[in-house]
Amino acid sequence: MQVEQSAVLEALKVVQDPDLHRDIVSLGFVKDLKVNGGQVAFTIELTTPACPVKDQMRDQARAAVLRLPGVAAVDVQMSARVREAVGGDGARQPLAGVKNVIAVGAGKGGVGKTTVAVNLAISLAKCGGKVGIIDADIYGPNVPIMLGIKTQLTTDGQKIIPAEKYGLQVISMGFLTQDDAPIIWRGPMLHGALQQFFREVKWVDLDYLVVDLPPGTGDVALSLSQTVPVAGAIVVTTPQQVSLADSRRAVAMYKKLNIPPLGVIENMSHFVCTNCSHEADIFGTGGGERMAQELGVPFLGRVPIYQPIREGGDAGVPIAISEPSSPAAQALMAAAERTAAQVSIASYNRPTIPLTVVR
């Protein structure tokens, strides 16, 4: 019995993307469909390599096609092509070599924002994404310490070449100053440095560029919003009220700057005793999730207090590298997957601008 391509596509409509809530055929995910007698082969091209259910989607697709009369074997390949979530407008032109800019900020200092940003970037890279990170916390550039990088930046004669570590392309003010040298800059100088980090660096084929912002609601976030189109912002908080109050202000700031909040991550959520496994809510419990619900933004997950997170950050070996199977690293991986899902959703909700025909 001859198997028709149209029958294969119809069968595949039972497979839905869990984030976009549409079938993979109408989304255009089915590529390179080939039917040779009873042999069927195709590729499912997702919008992110960080999809946590891609294996289930592959198995569901194979089973759906095998149920067709005349089909003897099904070969399903999985791939991904990350889409841009936002486009340029006016002064905010897209960056060469970068698809999506993701800001990571916090309402106050001391909540582990840089630790979360670094581990999120590594987790996205471990999923198969091409990832870079900008250390835009100009006054406290700690990304090089957490990644264990000591280097001097070079150029190719035209653009700055980013450093590389753990699969990340990395730029930081820490590469340009001495460890103990203070950076005493006013707003225009900060804006100029950010422009250089974005426009004068040779970013190569990045799906995601993570930007570690300084805490608070200041000049750097404003400059970011005016400089490049940003896919969205992640706000890092801890559960206690002092942090939550400032985090609400941070979410409000991003909304005011037309940077969509991708979600909230609750860091230092709880402490698990290594001897008795008792959980202690040192900073309270559930505050980040309640805040996210109240503000109508996604909750991306909670990361526990875990001593190796601090030790790895000090030693230049982040927890996503040193202990990838630990609950803390798994929580950060899940947050990275949810972040990628939010970017994918935004890419499909992106408004289309009608073309103007000039006669």
Side-chain angles (χ1 to χ4, degrees):
M1 180 181 294
Q2 179 63 36
V3 180
E4 299 293 335
Q5 287 195 359
S6 58
V8 174
L9 292 173
E10 189 65 31
L12 287 172
K13 289 182 179 179
V14 301
V15 184
Q16 287 211 341
D17 183 281
D19 300 309
L20 300 172
H21 305 294
R22 289 171 55 191
D23 68 85
I24 61 174
V25 177
S26 65
L27 287 168
F29 287 2
V30 181
K31 308 287 185 182
D32 303 324
L33 173 59
K34 296 181 178 64
V35 179
N36 184 10
Q39 310 290 319
V40 178
F42 55 89
T43 297
I44 300 177
E45 184 183 78
L46 302 176
T47 57
T48 172
C51 177
V53 295
K54 57 186 174 185
D55 290 343
Q56 293 95 308
M57 293 176 70
R58 179 197 61 210
D59 295 343
Q60 187 182 4
R62 180 185 290 114
V65 177
L66 275 173
R67 286 194 288 267
L68 291 174
V71 174
V74 180
D75 178 27
V76 185
Q77 300 295 319
M78 302 298 292
S79 68
R81 182 179 66 85
V82 177
R83 292 162 45 114
E84 296 87 349
V86 291
D89 54 15
R92 302 191 307 170
Q93 292 305 306
L95 295 177
V98 177
K99 290 183 178 177
N100 295 292
V101 176
I102 299 173
V104 179
K108 67 186 296 295
V111 299
K113 168 188 56 63
T114 300
T115 299
V116 169
V118 166
N119 282 283
L120 274 180
I122 292 173
S123 298
L124 287 168
K126 291 180 73 171
C127 288
K130 295 181 179 179
V131 187
I133 184 167
I134 288 180
D135 188 355
D137 193 346
I138 304 295
Y139 300 121
N142 293 322
V143 167
I145 295 174
M146 293 192 175
L147 291 175
I149 304 176
K150 288 187 177 181
T151 187
Q152 295 293 318
L153 296 177
T154 60
T155 74
D156 63 359
Q158 294 182 320
K159 289 196 171 186
I160 300 168
I161 305 299
E164 294 196 20
K165 190 72 175 284
Y166 302 128
L168 306 179
Q169 298 173 38
V170 187
I171 284 292
S172 171
M173 183 59 66
F175 297 144
L176 306 176
T177 63
Q178 299 296 321
D179 289 344
D180 56 354
I183 299 172
I184 307 170
W185 285 0
R186 293 185 182 274
M189 296 178 71
L190 293 172
H191 184 76
L194 271 187
Q195 286 280 2
Q196 189 173 21
F197 282 176
F198 283 118
R199 303 291 179 189
E200 297 180 26
V201 172
K202 189 175 182 179
W203 302 111
V204 181
D205 299 329
L206 295 184
D207 296 317
Y208 309 103
L209 178 58
V210 176
V211 183
D212 178 36
L213 296 176
T217 54
D219 285 339
V220 174
L222 180 60
S223 293
L224 174 67
S225 71
Q226 296 171 339
T227 301
V228 295
V230 182
I234 295 169
V235 174
V236 181
T237 187
T238 53
Q240 81 262 39
Q241 290 303 315
V242 171
S243 177
L244 294 171
D246 291 333
S247 296
R248 286 186 174 88
R249 297 185 186 100
V251 171
M253 174 194 69
Y254 290 123
K255 289 180 177 179
K256 198 163 188 175
L257 295 177
N258 293 319
I259 297 176
L262 294 175
V264 172
I265 294 177
E266 183 182 277
N267 194 28
M268 306 184 211
S269 180
H270 57 276
F271 172 74
V272 181
C273 177
T274 55
N275 293 323
C276 67
S277 299
H278 172 70
E279 291 190 8
D281 299 318
I282 296 173
F283 296 116
T285 180
E289 186 168 11
R290 287 194 298 272
M291 183 190 74
Q293 291 173 347
E294 291 167 7
L295 299 178
V297 300
F299 181 67
L300 302 178
R302 52 177 58 88
V303 181
I305 299 172
Y306 185 50
Q307 185 171 328
I309 296 178
R310 192 273 304 164
E311 294 172 342
D314 289 348
V317 186
I319 192 71
I321 297 294
S322 63
E323 294 188 25
S325 61
S326 66
Q330 290 296 306
L332 287 158
M333 176 62 77
E337 292 170 346
R338 293 176 188 129
T339 298
Q342 291 301 315
V343 173
S344 294
I345 293 169
S347 75
Y348 273 87
N349 292 338
R350 176 179 171 181
T352 56
I353 301 174
L355 295 176
T356 301
V357 179
V358 180
R359 300 185 184 278

